[in-house]
Amino acid sequence: MRIGLLTEGGYPYASGEAHGWCDRLVRGLTGHDFALYTLITDPRQEARGPVELPVNARLMGRARLWGDIPPGRRRSAGRRARRRFAEHFGDLAAACVALSAGEPAAGAEAAADGQADRFASGLYGLADLARGSAALPSLLRSEDAVRALEAVCHGAGAPSAVRGAQVADLLAVAAELEPALRPLSLAWYGDAGLAAVDLCHAASAGTAALPGLLAKRFFGTPLLVTEHGVGLREHYLAHSAAPRTVPVRVLLAAFRRALAAETYTRAALITPGGTRARRWQERCGADPARLRTVYPGMAAGPFAAVPDAAADDSATLVWTGAIAPDKDLVGLLHAFADLRRTVPAATLRIIGGLGADPEAAGYRAQCRALAAQLFPDEAADARTAGENPVSFEEIGGPTAPTAADAYASATVVVLSSAVEGFPRSLVEAMFCGRATVSTDTGAVCEVIGGTGLVVPPRNPRALADACRALLGDPERRARLGAAARARAFELFTVEQNIAAFRGIYLELIAGAPGGPAGRGAGGGVPRPFARPAESRVPGGPPPAGTARTPSWARAEQADPADQTGGRSRRTRRGAAGEPAAGQVW
């Protein structure tokens, strides 16, 4: 089947976990053809260029969500188009203003549903306007858009957070909405584009899913949404720290939430990557019956050869990850100082580079200074150089050439984060059969599932006590490590992730065997098996409009060989249409 893979700021341009997951999915499902449609969010992504794609994937469309309107999209609009734009954009803006009041009060669910319907009406009205070759990008940055925003923000019943919006605020909102709605006016919805795919798979909700929402509206194509993180939460965190006024922040947050809710409502199936993402999706209106948790797959091969932890008296704690303030290494160092009072032979290896946080470099320097203060260099005698029991290293160094080598040296693996999403380092430690001590944050408890010790975050004493308990009990370490390895190979491998999506693709396509309605001739009536069942056949699929109709599917006609007997092919098959013995349809 043909899968339209929709990404925003990710595959095949950006690096990171979202990129890696898409690449593993495409390379794992070699029986399907992937048409990639990507929205580029950063000029640096475009400068690096796309990665080399496998034979079953092809980059079909790309569009920038940054910068000014592309020259080819700058068009003037006629009076009729401006009137229609004012109507539809007014509905979208009014719904955002109403939703910006926050959570609906008790008994106001019907009103909230009405606003969601109004948002959808405005969104799809703009899409229909753009499909009619209207100058939607220019209209979204025009005075008409500012006047529509002003009318709803200053109108009766507007919440106080947006009632004081100034012209500069309205201009800022219009400038942010145009890139977010840019997918509405892209040339991706023709017969050679998303009209030709069997399923749209969006790698996140929101803007990335907009092409999938339009493909569902125009062609009836099923939409699958996968979220490992929560895009709406990331938007809240990123924009809360941005230098924006309250009306701008409130209006943009309401738009993002309404778009996410519309995505969850229209998706045939939603696959969160964990419990936290699932809870956010349910809070935004996703139907629990259409939610199915699929953990992100991780490559277990590099860790499969790591031997189980030996039941010895070693006392090496290992922390791995990207150093950043939210990893709470300061708390880990204080916990290690507490541990050393009763386990003086213990050592701590902090292995990892700097994270993306701009404060990471300063934070690492702070941690190094604290380690030197808490643990002065120790020497065995007067002629031996002193050594600090805490070391700061990076993967690829002489003592930790690979991540597997780092985990192999660990007696206990520690995760000390104050904020965590899906703990990849914890899964890697589980692949290696290591006992773990972790803080209860993010998806840690969901991943561990009883195969490691979990303590409250920002509690150095509890962290030290848990490490002390495992260091003093080799049998318990071995038992927990073996259980962790078994759990990781059962739930978190690439193979289980690919197998899950292989089944989901077939399930969704089975619900729409006729293909999207409205394609080709026939007045929008679905045509079962209008395309070859195989994704690739020798010489490629036949050109559009030249597919041969099997003989058994043609209109009934007499068989010349049977004219003397007066019987047709259908007569030979029987009244019920069953094939004769030994025949294959």
Side-chain angles (χ1 to χ4, degrees), residues 36 69 73 75 87 155 189 203 208 218 221 230 243 280 313 333-334 337 364 383 489 492 505 516 536 546-547 558 560:
L36 307 182
I69 303 171
R73 297 289 176 181
R75 303 176 185 172
E87 175 187 353
Y189 311 105
F218 296 151
T221 308
V230 184
W280 271 83
D313 58 352
L333 290 171
H334 283 289
R364 181 173 63 178
R383 292 175 294 179
F489 275 92
F492 305 121
Y505 285 175
R536 291 186 302 279
T546 63

Side-chain angles (χ1 to χ4, degrees), residues 143-404:
E143 184 179 350
D144 297 291
V146 176
R147 289 185 180 278
L149 287 169
E150 183 181 27
V152 295
C153 287
H154 297 168
S160 58
V162 301
R163 199 177 302 147
Q166 303 297 317
V167 173
D169 300 327
L170 302 177
L171 288 170
V173 171
E176 293 262 1
L177 288 181
E178 186 276 317
L181 294 173
R182 198 170 288 180
L184 298 181
S185 56
L186 296 176
W188 290 358
Y189 311 105
D191 291 340
L194 289 174
V197 304
D198 300 296
L199 171 70
C200 284
H201 188 174
S204 62
T207 304
L210 258 180
L213 289 174
L214 299 193
K216 179 176 177 60
R217 175 176 175 82
F218 296 151
F219 319 118
T221 308
L223 173 62
L224 170 65
V225 176
T226 295
E227 282 190 302
H228 293 148
V230 184
L232 184 60
R233 175 180 178 273
E234 294 170 0
H235 171 83
Y236 286 161
L237 294 176
H239 289 263
S240 62
R244 290 189 172 95
T245 62
V246 172
V248 174
R249 189 161 55 245
V250 168
L251 284 172
L252 292 178
F255 168 77
R256 293 288 180 177
R257 177 158 187 167
L259 183 56
E262 175 65 15
T263 301
Y264 298 147
T265 299
R266 304 298 177 186
L269 195 66
I270 307 163
T271 55
T275 300
R276 184 179 66 168
R278 185 186 184 103
R279 289 171 180 167
W280 271 83
Q281 291 163 349
E282 290 180 351
R283 185 69 178 268
C284 291
D287 183 2
R290 289 185 287 112
L291 292 173
R292 187 176 307 172
T293 301
V294 180
Y295 295 112
M298 295 177 56
F303 309 102
V306 176
D308 291 331
D312 55 19
D313 58 352
S314 61
T316 301
L317 304 182
V318 171
W319 179 97
T320 64
I323 296 176
D326 58 5
K327 302 302 181 182
D328 195 20
L329 292 182
V330 169
L332 174 60
L333 290 171
H334 283 289
F336 185 64
D338 188 341
L339 173 67
R340 290 265 297 178
R341 296 189 182 99
T342 54
V343 189
T347 58
L348 172 62
R349 300 180 66 187
I350 297 176
I351 305 174
L354 297 178
D357 193 310
E359 300 178 3
Y363 185 74
R364 181 173 63 178
Q366 176 189 353
C367 292
R368 285 180 179 272
L370 179 61
Q373 179 183 356
L374 291 175
F375 315 102
D377 291 350
E378 300 176 356
D381 51 55
R383 292 175 294 179
T384 306
E387 294 183 359
N388 196 299
V390 178
S391 62
F392 290 82
E393 312 165 43
E394 291 192 25
I395 299 296
T399 57
T402 66

